[in-house]
């Protein structure tokens, strides 16, 4: 779940102002308190998740408004073609080949012939590239048709010069005389290579401006150079402060304390060093402090100027109570941008911090603690269960979290720090995404993308507590911002509550709607009656209307496509078009002076428009990639415009910044004369155009209407504003005034309550899924509750009397109800729990009396708990299982009217850590092979085994740890087993050689090998290869007919396999008996101690044939008992039988196994090099000599089924999962 931010205060660092040659849309900047970011939550802000720093989630809560992300440093530098130098521009201007305005032509005065993209094209082309002056200009009437301020050229005269004509009609300047504004220009010398800048303008009676320019290397991803500039005269002159911060110090970010703008923080680039520079005198002097961590973002306390939170690159949260001089670690594994300061009046402690903490198992939890007391014992969890990652939002009176169970998300809200309650959306909305748009005026606006939506969202509004939501508008258009974040096109008009604009998708067309009562009623915008020429506009609703672009600029250095101010209520300026749908090509600029009721067009191309002096004057600058040197000023709400020059040379504008505050008489324009020139800072002072102070005669009143209806949000409002054309200044001491009186409540003052839907204009009827007769589960027998009539008064509506009593909820007694819809679930939604760990269960009931219903929960392991009502179990019931297995958890609810039961089958497992696949080294084709998996620890409850053979794409799945398989073809086959236990999945892989026949023999080694045996698989494999090479070297047996496998454990032993040749022709010539010749050769070499290898210098290892021995069967005492004699006779009989079988083995076809020994390979575990002293040791002396058996050849076996692995004792104990 995401949340929208509000106005960005000065505490934010300035995002880079890139050299793009146009008013930026692609990077973030901060320039004083008037610069806004993000989305509404406050009047005049775009309700859009996109308006946020790049590294933050799509929407940020208001509490995070002072935070900035380190990843802003990776903002892209827009591509820009080569610009001509200043000398080239001057020389061309002298020949009439540069866009000058000496003749005073209007913005529509001429058109370029070629080479320049038309400014009226889609914003993407215009905002991503800075064009250079054209190489060819149509000559002839050069001065008369030379384009002004990047205007289109060579337009028919009847269509051009509209603003000029208007100015002349209203007594504006003639074309032969140019008005000029007092301005000064300052070049940041030495910074021509710097491609980013951050600006802070304190405003509010402060003349200090700070500018941080830097060279950001996009290949390295870091800042390589920086310069810090400071002005104390509103930008007339600047002083370079590199020597005061350190000539070798490379700065990356600029922060300003939002509660005391005299306090400044500078961060060094983390690629160079980790340090912070602090100033307490508006950047005049600095103190440098080294840090032990790298800061990614900062969050200043909204009240305490010295309290700061710092989020590090390694996701740790630090706190400082002395403005960054000393830091203390608060917590680790904090989710990015999910930490918040306390809210005054709601949280008990001012230093309380809300944060979302991630755990090692991939879950997140909501915790709170104080900055100086954030130990494990002092942290508290207001929400006991785990929450979804990046879902915590703390904003105003509300706290929001999200919990996903079974793939379905549920949302919870805490109002004024009360217990969390589940948010109630219409039953079948089934949201897949939610954004908190606004929490103003004790109400939540939420944009919800439902299961059947892709590029649109539905707008829902809540009751005061933020629990019950009703639909306000469907299918609001959404899009992706420059950084991939979601933009929801909803805009709240500043200065007048209840007015919203929204772009709705209707039959694949996007249309703009307006509401005056917080979304209860919407209507299309009426197009202007006349166009710029004064010709009538034929636009008939609903087929044709006015459509607006509702996207605030992501760059505070431009005004954005729509703008309104609290200080100028009713005044709205926006870019849009007239037609059947919203267009991105044929656009103009429109203005409303009465809160959106009526509109006028003021430009037919895109302009940036700023408000001066409480909205008494408007300043417009054309949005163009071409150089400009003029501004347009209007004192009559856009009816007429005067053109003023603000610079002598045309300037490629990178951005413009208006002084923070309400008076706003000073503007700074940032730009370049050419691509390689220094940053030019042009200070424009508007004070001279305000001829005098305003008097009472300069004001008039206007009434807010909604299509002629004077009652808006339950009251009549009369605003006072400056008369259009009054060229007077209000000053800082002015305070706007409004007169209001309540209205009698009417239908439009009420919206449908939760569970009801609007039919027709005013009737609210229950939805098919809602039972209006069902009281709340909190309603206990004998109590009373408010039963909704289907209507609720719009939040913040001030109407009185009238229909208020008719639509108000009625008090009724709570009826008794039997429990129904009982559910039992785990807090994380999983059906698997770990043995020895807490399993938390939640019991839910759809209907019934929570206070008078008894609850019993049987955990299935012989333990059960009972509760008299639901109150003690709201946060869940915890239980620890001491053994693994599958348990049936039973919930039983009962009151005097009935009962209900629910079941849950829980798998309790012990964490699986290792699996070892036990397979033979060699197998016979078309014979069953027994394969098994050994899992550690041994007692894990229910496990699932996935067996993969060869190149099979589908596994065999069993609940047993062993499986039988038949290989149909010879060759090397791969076997993989995967073992699933809960959410853990581990695997092991082995290879097996499959042949028609083979022989094998056990091998042993000289005792010195055991001392060097670390008992790990890699070592055994390498020793097997060494033995194989030694045998080949001595006997010259073909390499492909020998396989040596070393067994785990001690003493070190191995098995030698003699395989048939791989060549089919040679195999057909021979038979199984031919292997005996190879066996004889190998045995001779082994018995003569010819097979040996050097393990390391001085360590020679000899390989032997392992001899089997029979244990003594007679007692060694003087007297022989009768039982001993019987045992001796038995041995003789068995020996005789073995001898006869051996002598006649080739005549008995059904005997093909001589002395098969089942060798069970124990689990392979990586142990330490040094063996345990308690490990059992077996030496060669434990085996008897060959002559004690019948024949040496008895040790050689022709095995017709499987050669198995020799059993050996593991040197490590395999523990069970112990009980807790």
């Amino acid at each position: 779940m995401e949340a929208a931010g509000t106005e960005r205060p000065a505490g934010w660092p300035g995002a880079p102002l890139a050299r793009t040659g146009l008013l930026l849309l692609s990077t973030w900047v901060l320039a004083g308190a008037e610069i806004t970011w993000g989305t509404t939550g406050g009047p005049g802000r775009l309700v859009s998740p996109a308006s946020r720093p790049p590294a933050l989630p799509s929407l940020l809560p208001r509490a995070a408004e002072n935070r900035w992300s380190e990843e802003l440093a990776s903002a892209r530098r827009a591509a820009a073609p080569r610009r001509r130098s200043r000398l080239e521009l001057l020389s061309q201007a002298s020949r009439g080949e540069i866009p000058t305005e000496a003749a005073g032509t209007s913005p529509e005065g001429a058109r370029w012939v070629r080479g320049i993209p038309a400014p009226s094209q889609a914003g993407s082309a215009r905002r991503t590239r800075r064009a250079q002056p054209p190489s060819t200009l149509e000559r002839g009437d050069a001065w008369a048709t030379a384009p002004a301020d990047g205007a289109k050229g060579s337009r028919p005269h009847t269509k051009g010069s509209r603003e000029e004509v208007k100015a002349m009609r209203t007594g504006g300047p003639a074309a032969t005389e140019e008005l000029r504004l007092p301005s000064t220009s300052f070049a940041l010398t030495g910074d021509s290579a710097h491609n980013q800048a951050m600006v802070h303008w304190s405003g509010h009676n402060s003349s200090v401006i700070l500018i941080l320019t830097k060279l950001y290397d996009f290949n390295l991803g870091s800042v390589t150079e920086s310069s810090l500039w400071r002005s104390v005269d509103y930008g007339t002159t600047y002083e370079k402060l590199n020597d005061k911060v350190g000539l070798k110090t490379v700065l990356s970010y600029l922060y300003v304390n939002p509660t005391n703008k005299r306090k400044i923080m500078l961060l060094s680039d983390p690629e160079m060093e980790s340090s912070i520079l602090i100033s307490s005198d508006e950047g005049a002097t600095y103190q440098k402090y080294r840090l032990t961590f790298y800061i990614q973002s900062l969050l200043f306390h909204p009240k305490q100027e010295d309290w700061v939170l710092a989020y590090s690159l390694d996701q740790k949260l630090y706190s400082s109570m002395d403005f960054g001089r000393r830091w203390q670690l608060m917590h680790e594994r904090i989710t990015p941008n999910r930490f918040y300061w306390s809210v005054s009046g709601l949280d008990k402690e001012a230093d309380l911090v809300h944060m979302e903490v991630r755990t090692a198992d991939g879950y997140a939890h909501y915790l709170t603690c104080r900055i100086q007391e954030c130990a494990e014992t002092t942290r508290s969890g207001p929400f006991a269960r785990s929450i979804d990652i990046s879902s915590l939002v703390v904003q105003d009176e509300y706290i929001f979290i999200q919990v996903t169970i079974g793939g379905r998300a549920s949302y919870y809200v805490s109002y004024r720090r009360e217990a969390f309650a589940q948010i109630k959306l219409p039953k079948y909305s089934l949201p897949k995404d939610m954004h908190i748009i606004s929490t103003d005026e004790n109400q939540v606006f939420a944009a919800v993308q439902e299961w059947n939506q892709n590029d649109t969202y539905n707008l829902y509004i809540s009751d005061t507590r933020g629990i019950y939501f009703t639909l306000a508008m469907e299918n609001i258009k959404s899009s992706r911002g420059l950084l991939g974040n979601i933009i929801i096109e909803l805009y709240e008009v500043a200065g007048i509550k209840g007015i919203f604009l929204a772009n709705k998708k209707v039959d694949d067309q996007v249309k703009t709607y307006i509401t005056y009562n917080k979304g209860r009623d919407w209507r299309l915008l009426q197009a202007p009656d006349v166009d710029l020429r004064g010709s009538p506009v034929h636009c008939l609703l609903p087929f044709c209307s006015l459509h607006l672009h509702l996207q605030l600029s992501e760059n505070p250095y431009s005004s954005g496509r729509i703008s309104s101010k609290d200080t100028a209520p009713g005044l709205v300026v926006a870019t849009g078009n007239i037609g059947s749908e919203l267009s991105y090509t044929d656009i103009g600029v429109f203005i409303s002076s009465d809160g959106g009721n009526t509109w006028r067009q003021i430009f037919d191309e895109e302009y940036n428009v700023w408000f001066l002096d409480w909205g008494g004057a408007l300043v417009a600058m054309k949005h163009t990639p071409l150089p400009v040197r003029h501004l347009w000023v209007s004192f009559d709400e856009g009816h007429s415009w005067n053109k003023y020059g603000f610079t002598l040379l045309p300037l490629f504008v990178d951005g413009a910044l208006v002084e923070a505050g309400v008076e706003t008489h000073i503007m700074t324009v940032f730009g370049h004369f050419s691509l390689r020139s220094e940053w030019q800072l042009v200070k424009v002072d508007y004070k001279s155009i305000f001829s005098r102070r305003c008097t009472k005669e300069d004001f008039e009143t206007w009434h807010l209407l909604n299509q002629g209806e004077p009652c808006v949000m339950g009251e009549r409002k009369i605003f006072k504003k400056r008369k259009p054309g009054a060229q007077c200044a209000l000053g800082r001491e002015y305070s706007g005034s409004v007169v209001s009186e309540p209205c009698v409540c009417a239908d439009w003052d009420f919206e449908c309550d939760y569970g009801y839907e609007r039919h027709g204009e005013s009737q609210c009827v229950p939805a098919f899924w809602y039972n209006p007769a069902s009281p709340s589960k909190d309603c206990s027998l004998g109590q009373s509750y408010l039963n909704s009539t289907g209507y609720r008064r719009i939040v913040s509506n001030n109407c009185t009397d009238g229909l208020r009593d008719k639509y108000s909820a009625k008090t009724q007694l709570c009826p008794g109800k039997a429990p129904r819809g009982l559910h039992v679930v785990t807090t994380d939604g999983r059906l698997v729990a770990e043995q020895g760990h807490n399993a938390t269960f939640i019991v839910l009931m759809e209907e019934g009396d929570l206070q008078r219903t008894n609850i019993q929960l049987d955990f299935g392991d012989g333990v059960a708990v009972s509760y008299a009502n639901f109150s003690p179990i709201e946060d869940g019931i915890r239980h620890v299982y001491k053994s693994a297995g599958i348990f049936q958890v039973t919930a039983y609810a009962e009151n005097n009217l009935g009962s209900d039961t629910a079941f849950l089958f829980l798998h309790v497992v012990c964490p699986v850590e290792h699996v070892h696949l036990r397979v033979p080294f060699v197998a016979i084709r078309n014979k069953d092979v027994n394969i098994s998996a050994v899992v550690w620890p041994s007692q894990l409850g229910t496990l699932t085994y996935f067996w993969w053979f060869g190149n099979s794409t589908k596994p065999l799945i069993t609940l047993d740890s062993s499986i039988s398989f038949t290989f149909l073809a010879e060759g090397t086959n791969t076997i993989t087993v995967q073992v699933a236990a809960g959410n853990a999945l581990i695997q092991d892989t082995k290879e097996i050689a499959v042949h028609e026949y083979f022989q094998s023999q056990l091998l042993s080694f000289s005792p010195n090998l055991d001392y060097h045996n670390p008992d790990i698989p890699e070592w055994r494999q390498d020793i097997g290869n060494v033995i194989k090479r030694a045998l080949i070297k001595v006997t010259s047996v073909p390499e492909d007919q020998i396989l040596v496998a070393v067994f785990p454990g001690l003493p070190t032993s191995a098995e030698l396999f003699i395989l048939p040749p791989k060549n089919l022709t040679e195999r057909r010539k021979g038979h199984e008996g031919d292997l005996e010749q190879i066996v004889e050769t190998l045995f001779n070499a082994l018995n003569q101690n010819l097979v040996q290898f050097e393990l390391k210098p001085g360590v020679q290892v000899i390989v032997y044939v392992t001899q089997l021995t029979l244990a003594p069967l007679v007692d060694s005492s003087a007297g022989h008992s009768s039982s001993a004699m019987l045992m001796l006779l038995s041995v003789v009989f068995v020996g005789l039988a073995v001898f006869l079988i051996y002598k006649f083995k080739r005549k008995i076809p059904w005997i093909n196994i001589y002395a098969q020994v089942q060798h069970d390979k124990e689990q392979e575990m990586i142990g330490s090099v040094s063996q345990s002293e308690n490990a059992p040791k077996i030496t060669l002396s434990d085996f008897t000599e060959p002559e004690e058996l019948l024949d040496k050849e008895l040790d050689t076996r022709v095995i017709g089924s499987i050669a198995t692995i020799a059993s050996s004792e593991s040197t490590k104990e395999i523990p069970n999962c112990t009980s807790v």
Side-chain angles (χ1 to χ4, degrees), residues 84-150:
R84 300 173 185 237
S85 67
R86 178 177 178 181
L87 292 178
E88 290 178 302
L89 293 173
L90 289 174
S91 63
Q92 287 186 342
S94 65
R95 300 193 303 268
E97 296 177 359
I98 194 69
T100 63
E101 298 169 315
T105 57
S106 73
E108 288 71 43
R111 174 180 293 275
W112 290 115
V113 177
R114 66 171 181 263
I116 300 298
S120 62
Q121 293 175 351
S124 58
R126 183 170 57 252
R127 293 172 181 259
T128 57
R129 197 170 183 85
R130 178 184 356 171
Q132 63 184 23
S135 56
T136 303
L137 178 65
E138 188 174 28
R139 302 297 295 275
D141 190 12
W143 289 107
T145 61
D149 289 343

Side-chain angles (χ1 to χ4, degrees), residues 475-494:
N475 296 321
I476 296 180
K477 180 180 178 294
S478 68
S479 59
R480 290 284 178 181
L482 295 173
L483 301 169
N485 42 344
I486 297 294
I487 297 175
I488 299 172
E489 297 197 15
L490 178 71
Y491 181 84
E492 183 178 4
V493 176

Side-chain angles (χ1 to χ4, degrees), residues 904-1055:
L904 179 145
F905 294 92
L906 185 70
H907 292 243
V908 178
V909 299
C910 189
V912 57
E913 298 184 16
H914 301 288
V915 59
H916 172 71
L917 185 60
R918 297 169 54 177
V919 299
F921 294 109
V922 186
I924 300 297
R925 185 172 69 90
N926 293 327
K927 295 286 187 178
D928 286 345
V929 179
N930 293 323
I931 304 167
S932 61
V934 178
V935 178
W936 184 89
S938 59
Q939 296 181 359
L940 294 172
T942 304
L943 303 177
T944 304
Y945 298 84
F946 301 86
W947 308 88
W948 307 79
F949 295 93
N951 296 324
S952 174
T953 58
K954 294 183 178 180
L956 300 177
I957 304 175
T958 67
L959 296 178
D960 193 3
S961 61
S962 62
I963 192 173
S964 179
F965 189 78
T966 302
F967 294 94
L968 303 180
E970 293 188 65
T972 302
N973 290 268
T974 300
I975 305 174
T976 298
V977 63
Q978 293 180 327
V979 182
N983 60 352
L985 185 67
I986 60 175
Q987 75 174 34
D988 189 19
T989 300
K990 292 289 188 297
E991 289 185 348
I992 183 173
V994 180
H995 296 279
E996 289 283 350
Y997 54 88
F998 63 89
Q999 290 194 13
S1000 69
Q1001 171 61 43
L1002 296 178
L1003 301 177
S1004 56
F1005 307 92
S1006 53
N1008 57 350
L1009 182 60
D1010 292 346
Y1011 180 78
H1012 300 281
N1013 183 357
D1015 198 17
I1016 61 175
E1018 296 89 341
W1019 184 88
R1020 291 192 287 270
Q1021 183 176 357
D1022 290 339
I1023 292 298
N1025 293 332
V1026 170
I1027 299 170
K1028 179 178 178 179
R1029 290 195 296 268
L1031 288 170
I1032 295 173
K1033 181 178 180 180
V1034 173
T1035 63
S1036 300
V1037 176
E1039 180 181 358
D1040 60 356
Q1041 289 192 255
I1042 295 179
L1043 175 64
V1044 178
V1046 180
F1047 301 137
L1050 294 175
T1052 309
S1053 58
E1055 189 164 8

Side-chain angles (χ1 to χ4, degrees), residues 608-625:
N608 286 276
V609 180
W610 290 273
F611 294 69
L612 298 181
D613 194 56
W614 298 81
L618 301 177
V619 175
M621 178 186 292
K622 189 167 185 178
H623 188 98
T624 174

Side-chain angles (χ1 to χ4, degrees), residues 792-859:
R792 68 185 184 193
R793 190 171 59 158
I794 298 171
V795 176
S796 300
N797 187 291
N798 295 324
C799 73
T800 59
D801 302 327
L803 298 177
R804 182 173 180 177
D805 291 337
K806 175 182 177 181
Y807 289 147
S808 297
K810 310 303 179 184
T811 302
Q812 294 186 6
L813 292 177
C814 296
K817 251 192 171 182
R820 189 185 68 83
L822 193 67
H823 303 280
V824 56
V825 296
T826 58
T827 54
D828 55 11
R830 298 189 303 160
L831 299 178
V832 178
E834 289 188 11
Q835 177 185 338
H837 290 74
N838 274 321
T840 306
F841 300 93
I842 300 293
V843 180
L844 305 172
M845 186 172 61
E846 294 180 4
E847 292 185 6
D849 187 345
L850 294 179
Q851 299 301 320
R852 295 177 177 268
T853 300
N854 299 322
I855 299 297
Q856 180 178 347
L857 188 64
D858 188 340
F859 300 107

Side-chain angles (χ1 to χ4, degrees), residues 441-695:
E441 299 178 341
N442 293 322
Q443 187 174 34
V444 180
F445 277 63
V448 176
Q449 188 172 60
E450 302 188 11
W451 62 275
N452 57 351
Q453 294 178 305
N454 294 317
D455 60 348
T456 60
Y457 281 73
N458 290 347
L459 178 65
Y460 288 89
I461 56 179
S462 77
D463 60 349
T464 300
R465 297 181 63 208
I467 298 176
Y468 294 98
F469 283 77
T470 57
L471 182 65
M473 173 173 270
E474 294 182 299
N475 296 321
I476 296 180
K477 180 180 178 294
S478 68
S479 59
R480 290 284 178 181
L482 295 173
L483 301 169
N485 42 344
I486 297 294
I487 297 175
I488 299 172
E489 297 197 15
L490 178 71
Y491 181 84
E492 183 178 4
V493 176
I496 306 174
K497 66 180 181 180
I499 303 180
F500 288 83
L501 292 162
N503 282 338
K504 180 179 180 180
K505 192 172 184 180
V506 182
D507 298 330
D508 294 327
Q509 291 184 326
V510 178
K511 300 176 182 289
T512 302
Y513 291 79
I514 189 170
T515 178
Y516 286 84
N517 50 14
K518 281 195 170 182
R520 181 197 184 276
D521 302 297
W522 297 86
R523 62 176 173 86
L524 294 167
L525 294 179
Q526 177 65 57
D529 295 329
V530 295
D531 60 12
L532 280 175
R533 304 183 191 90
S535 303
V537 174
H538 301 286
C539 185
L540 182 64
L541 292 173
F543 310 103
C544 174
S545 60
L546 175 63
H547 309 285
L548 304 177
H549 292 273
L550 304 181
Q551 300 171 350
L552 274 181
S553 172
E554 295 188 8
N555 164 37
Y557 284 116
S558 64
S559 65
R561 290 189 162 186
I562 185 168
S563 180
S564 61
K565 294 290 183 182
D566 289 322
T567 55
L571 202 59
V572 185
V573 180
T575 301
N577 66 280
I578 299 172
S580 60
E581 63 176 324
L582 184 66
S583 171
Y584 291 88
T585 54
D586 186 17
I587 60 177
V589 181
F590 298 83
I591 189 170
S592 174
S593 302
D594 54 8
N597 275 283
T598 60
W599 295 83
R600 291 175 286 106
Q601 186 171 2
I602 55 177
F603 298 110
D604 68 349
E605 293 177 283
E606 190 167 358
Y607 278 72
N608 286 276
V609 180
W610 290 273
F611 294 69
L612 298 181
D613 194 56
W614 298 81
L618 301 177
V619 175
M621 178 186 292
K622 189 167 185 178
H623 188 98
T624 174
L626 300 178
V628 298
R629 53 181 295 266
H630 288 87
L631 295 169
W632 296 80
V633 180
S634 174
F635 288 93
D636 55 5
E637 298 176 343
H639 287 279
S640 62
W641 295 84
N642 295 325
K643 183 170 67 173
Y644 291 84
F646 71 94
T647 178
L648 294 176
L649 294 176
L651 183 73
F652 289 97
V653 176
D654 293 317
L657 176 64
V658 178
E659 177 192 5
V662 294
E663 187 174 350
T664 56
H665 288 161
I666 297 177
M667 172 186 284
T668 299
V669 181
F670 308 88
H672 300 78
F673 290 128
S674 68
L675 175 64
R676 295 179 177 85
S677 69
E678 288 85 2
W679 291 85
Q680 295 293 329
L681 309 180
V682 181
K683 171 189 172 183
V684 183
D685 194 339
Y686 295 96
K687 290 186 177 69
S688 62
I689 65 174
F690 293 94
S691 58
R692 56 184 174 81
R693 286 286 182 178
C694 294
T695 62

